[in-house]
Amino acid sequence: MKTIIDIAKTELKTLFYSPIAWIIMAIFALQANMTFIDIFVDFIKYQLAGYPNNNITTELFTSDSWRKAVFPNVQQYLYLYIPLVTMGIMSREISSGSIKLLLSSPITSKQIIFGKFLSMMIYGFALVSILGLTVLFSMFGVKDLDIWYVLSGLLGIYLLLCAYSAIGIFMSSLTSYQVVAAIGTLALLALLNYIGQVGQSINFVRDLTYWLSISGRASEMVAGLISSNDVLYFLVVISMFISFTIIKLESGKIKKRIKIVSQYTIVLVVCLIIGYMSSRPALIVYADATRTNHRTLTPNSQDVINKLEGGLTITTFVNILDQNRYHAMPENINKDLKRFEQYTRFKPEINMKYVYYWDKTDNPHLYKTYPNLTDEQIAQKVCEIYEYDFNDFLTPQQVKKIADLSDEGNRFVRLIERDNGDKTFLRIYNDMYVHPFESEISVALKRLVMKLPKVGFVTGHGERDILKSGDRDYSSSAQSKTFRNSLLNQGFEIESIHLSDSEIGDDISILVIADNKTSFTEIETERLNRYIEKGGNLLIAAEPRRVKEMTPLVSTFGVSFKDGILVEKGHDFAPTLIINDLEKDAPEKISYVFNSILKRKFKITTPGTLALDYSLASSKGYQVTPLLKTKDKNCWNEKESTDFVDDDVVLNTEIGEQEISSTTAIALNRTVGYKDQRIIIMGDADCISNGEVSARRSGFRAANFSFFTGMFQWLSNGKAPIDTRRPKLIDNKVNVGKTAGKFWSILFIWLVPLSLLVSCFIIWVKRRKK
């Protein structure tokens, strides 16, 4: 060990007597510190301007979004520096002939290489220490910096540096020319970055080449998740190239070339086997370094996973004619598997399968491009363009033997199936995120282990239709398969209820009555009353034109509709569009989903609504929680006007119209036996319609779909949607002002790099004097 340390000391002296090592450190410090100060100063400015800061640790060090933080930015150019340092570490010995003296001395090849690698480890630590200065400053400059999260990123950067160094030392041992060694190292690093794309359509080869790829290997640790797979990758790569270098040095003593080749082969095969085995989900160990464990499934999701006893298969069906096919084509399978890594971490026996087929689907662009071709001919054309083997794709008849996907529109979909035969679909969505989040995946798994709430939509009296896609209907809110926030995709079962046909079943958790155009018959009313008397939960959505039909229904709960229709002036829209505010205590009393509405100051729009009078609700035994309220200015109950298109609405105090804040939605609850009965009454049914849920208007942001989700979360007693909230981030403030910020900018951007260059100059002067 002493010999290895002596060699490392000698190598470090040689390294730091050279200006290259100092210049690289100075440039490295300049680039890293400029990125850090640029982001940090922005946080100071935001805070002084009164804007809230949030998640500062991520934004400073680990974010890989539109503005890369310090660590991802460093990863981008790190590969350019190490070859310039390692290019002479062995080639210098070879060109000068000193390698022969070293090999003829009592020093072994292993000691030589370990000593030189140790010197590079120390140099790498020096580079990481420069990043450590920004971390040290942030510990005092940022309120509650997530230090373990940042240290995880530093570990990833350091291991990446060591891997680059091992590769650089090996390439330097192959030639006596330093420039050739540097170029060779860059070429090999480029190969290791690219190799992850090689053979991705071949199962076994895909796993090996993807594992070999060094691209993004430190990213998981930078993002706060340390896994045995990633750590072992770096250790294996380092060991492999160190072993290659030792074999190269020893090769001069071996006459038989076949023996040398066999040694290289054995090392390579052993490393590949270790790498392949270490990447198996069942063998991977994880450590989440983040304060809030945001790289780990939430407790509710873990609880669902723990209840999934036995095997679980997730089969992804990919239609070559679907516009979303590329998400799981063979070359992207490893990327797709990453989307379920948090789940395989807790249930490694999850079996991921992929089925490729062709069938008619909704892809207007493709059918417009090939209007005269059949589905089979178009599929063959697509396969020809993208160089797929058409024979690998099942026909519509063949895929139907596995699963009938016609109800899913033959779109990209996953079928989750347990060994006991229970199954459910997991979909992608028509939004900017496309893929399901933890909440959607977990609720799909939850369907397999427990009974989820069933929502019954009453029909037969002209109510809003859950099957139609018109603006006033409810298909998007209720059971749209492509809308992320639909009840179907958030864990509810959907059913149409005809009160005239039979009693309301005990399996109905929530009953929805939305804008019935005609009154219920006597027998229907009796059945509805029996459901209410049993403690059934209910959502009633009224309309100004249906006061007569719906008054008998809401009066059961001590609620009535005030005369007239609410109007609002002061905006550019129709006066009947009411821009409601959510009541401040609604998140605490009703649903956590409402928190984001209040926090972001979103509005809830009701295009034509009634004001509610709930003064008698308490006498019926109900506790009332107001949900939505109008403004107290420029808003009143209009009792005269009926034409809200051509006529101008005018406040007439003589007939009782007055500007006052009105309630447009309320929540009622009472105890019925062992049940906590929950009821929501709204003065407007359009609020949660297809058109209004997706409406966008200038001047304000509406969150009707969040309001809709929150209502049903409360009505279902929290059973759905699944709660995937995480603890609130607390690193939301900088402790540095504008003046201090300028001082630290000068220190990091100018003084630190200059001090390194001055050190280089001082050493150079001393060397010249000697």
Side-chain angles (χ1 to χ4, degrees), residues 342-360:
Q342 287 191 338
Y343 290 86
T344 55
R345 170 181 171 183
F346 292 96
K347 192 172 179 63
E349 64 270 24
I350 292 178
N351 181 26
M352 301 292 293
K353 293 172 60 178
Y354 293 85
V355 174
Y356 299 95
Y357 72 102
W358 59 267
D359 203 349
K360 191 172 189 65

Side-chain angles (χ1 to χ4, degrees), residues 452-525:
L452 291 178
K454 180 181 286 188
V455 181
F457 285 82
V458 174
T459 62
H461 291 270
E463 293 88 352
R464 302 300 172 95
D465 200 314
I466 62 173
L467 299 177
K468 294 180 180 179
S469 56
D471 283 348
R472 291 170 58 81
D473 294 308
Y474 281 5
S475 62
S476 292
S477 303
Q479 59 179 15
S480 171
K481 294 175 180 177
T482 59
F483 181 49
R484 183 184 302 273
N485 294 94
S486 71
L487 293 177
L488 180 67
N489 289 324
Q490 292 300 318
F492 295 88
E493 302 291 342
I494 309 300
E495 183 178 310
S496 293
I497 299 292
H498 296 270
L499 292 176
S500 59
D501 292 346
S502 62
E503 293 284 345
I504 301 170
D506 292 337
D507 61 336
I508 298 297
S509 307
I510 305 165
L511 194 68
V512 178
I513 303 174
D515 187 18
N516 52 297
K517 296 178 181 177
T518 57
S519 300
F520 293 121
T521 64
E522 184 177 345
I523 191 169
E524 289 172 335
T525 302

Side-chain angles (χ1 to χ4, degrees), residues 574-592:
T576 51
L577 178 70
I578 307 301
I579 305 174
N580 298 272
D581 289 312
L582 186 71
E583 291 282 0
K584 290 184 179 180
D585 59 351
E588 180 182 352
K589 292 184 177 180
I590 303 299
S591 173
Y592 67 87

Side-chain angles (χ1 to χ4, degrees), residues 479-642:
Q479 59 179 15
S480 171
K481 294 175 180 177
T482 59
F483 181 49
R484 183 184 302 273
N485 294 94
S486 71
L487 293 177
L488 180 67
N489 289 324
Q490 292 300 318
F492 295 88
E493 302 291 342
I494 309 300
E495 183 178 310
S496 293
I497 299 292
H498 296 270
L499 292 176
S500 59
D501 292 346
S502 62
E503 293 284 345
I504 301 170
D506 292 337
D507 61 336
I508 298 297
S509 307
I510 305 165
L511 194 68
V512 178
I513 303 174
D515 187 18
N516 52 297
K517 296 178 181 177
T518 57
S519 300
F520 293 121
T521 64
E522 184 177 345
I523 191 169
E524 289 172 335
T525 302
E526 289 176 358
R527 287 171 176 169
L528 180 58
N529 287 336
R530 280 193 286 272
Y531 173 81
I532 296 171
E533 289 169 3
K534 289 190 298 183
N537 294 345
L538 191 66
L539 170 63
I540 300 172
E543 273 291 305
R545 293 175 296 172
R546 312 284 183 242
V547 173
K548 179 182 176 182
E549 291 78 12
M550 302 203 75
T551 293
L553 179 60
V554 299
S555 63
T556 304
F557 311 104
V559 179
S560 61
F561 304 117
K562 294 182 179 180
D563 291 340
I565 180 174
L566 284 170
V567 294
E568 180 178 339
K569 298 192 71 174
H571 55 57
D572 297 331
F573 310 103
T576 51
L577 178 70
I578 307 301
I579 305 174
N580 298 272
D581 289 312
L582 186 71
E583 291 282 0
K584 290 184 179 180
D585 59 351
E588 180 182 352
K589 292 184 177 180
I590 303 299
S591 173
Y592 67 87
V593 178
F594 294 157
N595 278 311
S596 62
I597 299 177
L598 282 181
K599 182 179 178 181
R600 301 179 184 181
K601 299 180 180 180
F602 289 165
K603 305 296 182 180
I604 310 300
T605 53
T606 51
T609 184
L610 296 163
L612 303 179
D613 182 348
Y614 51 88
S615 57
L616 299 178
S618 58
S619 64
K620 299 282 187 176
Y622 290 98
Q623 181 179 344
V624 183
T625 303
L627 297 180
L628 299 180
K629 64 178 181 180
T630 66
K631 298 180 178 66
D632 54 8
K633 297 290 185 182
N634 296 322
C635 193
W636 67 89
N637 245 350
E638 179 60 40
K639 300 178 181 180
E640 286 184 313
S641 300
T642 56

Side-chain angles (χ1 to χ4, degrees), residues 187-256:
L188 184 55
L189 290 177
L191 175 63
L192 287 174
N193 272 281
Y194 173 75
I195 199 170
Q197 303 175 35
V198 175
Q200 291 300 292
S201 58
I202 306 170
N203 289 334
F204 182 72
V205 176
R206 177 194 303 124
D207 291 335
L208 287 179
T209 56
Y210 190 78
W211 180 85
L212 270 174
S213 176
I214 204 169
S215 176
R217 268 295 174 174
S219 297
E220 288 296 310
M221 278 184 270
V222 166
L225 184 65
I226 303 172
S227 69
S228 59
N229 181 32
D230 288 333
V231 173
L232 277 173
Y233 170 82
F234 287 114
L235 296 179
V236 169
V237 167
I238 291 168
S239 301
M240 182 170 68
F241 282 100
I242 291 297
S243 299
F244 284 170
T245 311
I246 293 171
I247 294 171
K248 175 62 177 66
L249 288 187
E250 293 288 335
S251 63
K253 304 175 184 178
I254 302 173
K255 294 181 179 180
K256 293 183 179 180

Side-chain angles (χ1 to χ4, degrees), residues 274-319:
I274 294 173
Y276 180 79
M277 294 303 297
S278 67
S279 64
R280 299 305 88 195
L283 300 177
I284 301 176
V285 179
Y286 296 89
D288 191 337
T290 61
R291 178 187 287 129
T292 59
N293 288 328
H294 75 261
R295 299 303 314 279
T296 304
L297 289 178
T298 56
N300 285 336
S301 293
Q302 292 183 44
D303 183 56
V304 171
I305 288 290
N306 292 334
K307 292 177 181 177
L308 278 169
E309 298 178 355
L312 186 72
T313 300
I314 301 178
T315 305
T316 302
F317 291 89
V318 185
N319 185 352

